[in-house]
């Protein structure tokens, strides 16, 4: 029988993101786990199978062009979500690095908003 998802992916991702300052972790109403910072979604994980990560549209285009994501879902003209399938341990590490990029993007945008107000 073919294995679906990387063993322990959810717990590893939760453990890493729990160590990042300001990250809140909660259950998603439709299942899975949601990660947020400053009230903004970083991303979510569904079982040990896939991670969805929020990004601005320009970042999504960059990641898609470099074939770093498995699929793209645009919410509108300026943002959306990329997905990373978690088939191997290297996929988990890659998902964590993309979640970290989303985390820092959110923090930098919030800092810029504070500076401009």
């Amino acid at each position: 029988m073919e294995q679906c998802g990387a063993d322990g992916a959810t717990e590893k991702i939760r453990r890493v993101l729990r160590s990042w300052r300001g990250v809140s972790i909660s259950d998603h109403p439709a299942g899975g786990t949601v990660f947020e910072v400053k009230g903004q979604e970083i991303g979510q994980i569904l079982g040990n199978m896939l991670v969805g990560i929020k990004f601005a549209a320009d970042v999504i285009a960059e990641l898609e062009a470099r074939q770093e994501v498995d699929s793209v879902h645009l919410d509108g003209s300026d943002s959306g979500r990329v997905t990373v399938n978690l088939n191997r341990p290297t996929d988990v590490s890659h998902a964590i690095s993309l979640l970290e990029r989303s985390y820092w993007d959110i923090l930098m945008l919030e800092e810029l908003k504070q500076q401009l107000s």
Side-chain angles (χ1 to χ4, degrees), residues 18-117:
R18 193 177 298 123
S19 73
W20 298 350
R21 191 171 83 185
V23 171
S24 65
I25 300 173
S26 60
D27 293 333
H28 190 279
T33 303
V34 177
F35 306 99
E36 295 181 326
V37 65
K38 296 200 175 271
Q40 300 291 318
E41 183 181 323
I42 301 167
Q44 58 184 279
I45 184 168
L46 300 172
N48 288 319
M49 299 184 62
L50 70 88
V51 174
I53 307 166
K54 295 280 282 188
F55 283 112
D58 59 334
V59 175
I60 291 172
E62 170 196 329
L63 295 171
E64 189 174 32
R66 293 193 330 227
Q67 298 180 335
E68 290 192 39
V69 296
D70 293 310
S71 63
V72 171
H73 310 279
L74 295 175
D75 296 336
S77 61
D78 63 345
S79 68
R81 180 180 310 278
V82 299
T83 58
V84 176
N85 295 320
L86 304 173
N87 299 314
R88 299 173 300 280
T90 54
D91 297 332
V92 176
S93 299
H94 180 62
I96 290 169
S97 70
L98 291 176
L99 287 160
E100 185 175 23
R101 180 171 180 178
S102 177
Y103 169 82
W104 286 111
D105 285 353
I106 291 167
L107 291 180
M108 287 189 297
L109 183 58
E110 288 298 315
E111 178 70 22
L112 181 59
K113 285 179 184 177
Q114 286 181 352
Q115 290 176 4
L116 294 174
S117 58

